[in-house]
Structures are given as structure tokens and as C-alpha cells.
Amino acid sequence: MIVVENISKSFGQTLVLDRVSAEIPLCKTTFILGPSGHGKTVFLKTLIALLKPDQGRIRFNGSDILEFREKALYRFWTGVGFVFQESALIDSLTVKDNLSLFLSYQTEQAGGTIQQKVRDMLATVGLENMGNKFPEELSGGMKKRAAVARALAKDPPFLFLDEPTTGIDEGNAGAIKKLIARLSGEGHRTTIIATHDLRMMRELADFVLLIKNRKILFAGPASQIEESRLQDLYRTE
């Protein structure tokens, strides 16, 4: 269980999260939904201490990661894959070198093993012929798929994705949805996704968090969400 207790986060005078609490199940697919600017991405990054909250606790299997010192936090991060909304590939490196560099820092595998892993992961996301391309040569959807491949390369037990289908064409969005569905079916990975994609949530979610106005309005099984809650979530005041 991931237990979030009374997390608050501000940027200057702007309060983004206000004493939010939730319990998120392990080995399930959790969706974080909410309007733009209401804290989804901040909450997602705070969950793994990419952003440090101003107060509160975040416990993974009982251990508060906010109390970890630098080395312990880096060890924790080796078990986390994170896909940023803008993909965050290194522009000066090819796709395969983006993955290779990541693996060389995160694992102790030999070079030949790393290169085979890179080929396998690019094939997994349907980019087996794109390894020698630079990010600027890829479509937005291909960049997202390359970022997913990088996040999955070390087979992390925790996978976090920020808006994985936003701003890309239907074909690439469908490919990413199918990949997430396949990963969810493996049953050993905790996947947490911040998104506006209600269709993907309805198809894939086990558990859902609804965030609006700096608060968590609902945290529970996807089967318990009423359509009226979703309508209220995106209704402007």
C-alpha cells in the first residue's frame, strides 16, 4: 500500500495541494483525474519525492520515503519508471542512446546486455526501426512511446505516467493504451497515471483518485465512481 498523509505543496504564494490523504493499492492500475491546473502532475511527482511536499508523509510499504537520505532515495528511484508529459528525451542523443544511457546509470549490466535490452524495449513499443533517430525526428506520439520504453527498460515495480496520451494522434494513443493494458495484465507492477483521458480510465482503471481545487474528492475502486462525479469534476464554477 502507498499511504499519503496530509500532503501540502505550495509554489511561492500558490497552494497546489492542501493536506491531501489517500491510500493507493499496490499491483493495480490507478488513475489520477482532475482539471488542468488543479494538482494532478504535482501530486504524481510528489508521490515519489521528485517534488518534496511542504508537509506530510508518503509511505511505501510502511517506509516514509520523505525521510530517506540521498543514497536511500536513489535506491528507491531505481525501482521507479517515470514518463514525463513532455517525454524528456535528451535531444542530442539518438533514441537507443537515450535508453542506453539510462540503463548504464541505473544498472550494472554489461554493454552487450544493455544493447540487447534496448532493442527489446524498442520492439515492445513498436519502435524497433527508430533507434538511430534523434528525438526531433520523431512525432510526438513516437516520443511518448520512446519515453515509455525508457521507463520500462529496468522492469520497475512502480510505473508513473503523466498524461501519456495527451497531444498525440489516435494511433499512437491507442498503442500506448494497449501497452498499459498489457502491463496491467502482468499483475506485478503498480501503475499510476495522471490523465484527462476518461475513455482510457474507464477501460483500464482499477482504482481512481479525483483531484480538484487542491483536494482529493474521491479515492476508491473505479467500479464505485458515479458518472455525476466525473461531470462535477470538470464542471467550471
Side-chain angles (χ1 to χ4, degrees):
M1 184 74 72
I2 302 171
V3 180
V4 180
E5 297 178 356
N6 294 316
I7 290 295
S8 294
K9 179 65 180 178
S10 297
F11 295 96
Q13 299 299 311
T14 303
L15 179 63
V16 180
L17 297 174
D18 184 13
R19 294 170 292 175
V20 299
S21 297
E23 294 185 356
I24 301 172
L26 300 180
C27 301
K28 300 291 183 181
T29 299
T30 293
F31 278 70
I32 302 170
L33 299 176
S36 295
H38 284 242
K40 294 191 309 296
T41 293
V42 171
F43 182 70
L44 190 72
K45 292 181 177 180
T46 300
L47 277 177
I48 55 171
L50 286 180
L51 289 174
K52 292 294 183 71
D54 302 321
Q55 68 175 51
R57 301 176 65 189
I58 301 171
R59 291 182 287 144
F60 279 67
N61 288 324
S63 297
D64 186 353
I65 65 170
L66 300 179
E67 295 181 348
F68 287 174
R69 296 192 176 185
E70 185 175 3
K71 288 185 177 180
L73 187 57
Y74 275 101
R75 284 196 300 270
F76 167 74
W77 281 338
T78 62
V80 173
F82 197 101
V83 179
F84 293 88
Q85 184 172 350
E86 300 302 326
S87 302
L89 300 173
I90 300 173
D91 291 336
S92 60
L93 297 179
T94 64
V95 172
K96 68 179 182 180
D97 286 343
N98 265 276
L99 272 67
S100 297
L101 180 65
F102 178 74
L103 281 171
S104 66
Y105 275 111
Q106 296 285 342
T107 72
E108 297 179 356
Q109 297 176 0
T113 302
I114 287 176
Q115 292 307 312
Q116 183 59 54
K117 184 70 172 179
V118 168
R119 289 191 291 269
D120 291 343
M121 294 316 304
L122 290 178
T124 295
V125 299
L127 295 177
E128 54 267 54
N129 297 320
M130 297 294 174
N132 291 320
K133 299 287 187 181
F134 287 90
E136 66 180 11
E137 300 178 274
L138 303 181
S139 68
M142 288 179 177
K143 288 180 183 178
K144 285 280 181 75
R145 285 154 62 188
V148 172
R150 183 179 59 183
L152 289 173
K154 56 187 177 177
D155 194 24
F158 297 98
L159 178 63
F160 292 74
L161 302 100
D162 188 11
E163 299 286 6
T165 59
T166 297
I168 63 176
D169 63 87
E170 186 174 346
N172 277 296
I176 289 175
K177 290 178 184 180
K178 287 180 181 178
L179 178 59
I180 293 172
R182 195 181 82 194
L183 295 171
S184 300
E186 293 175 356
H188 67 272
R189 184 177 288 108
T190 301
T191 302
I192 301 179
I193 304 166
T195 186
H196 290 93
D197 194 332
L198 292 178
R199 181 177 176 181
M200 180 169 62
M201 181 277 291
R202 292 185 176 108
E203 292 173 354
L204 302 179
D206 298 310
F207 196 83
V208 177
L209 301 176
L210 305 182
I211 292 181
K212 188 175 183 180
N213 295 327
R214 306 177 297 276
K215 298 283 192 179
I216 291 180
L217 306 182
F218 172 85
S223 60
Q224 295 181 6
I225 296 179
E226 299 174 356
E227 190 62 30
S228 60
R229 280 187 178 270
L230 297 176
Q231 293 174 1
D232 290 341
L233 187 68
Y234 293 103
R235 181 180 293 122
T236 56
E237 301 299 337

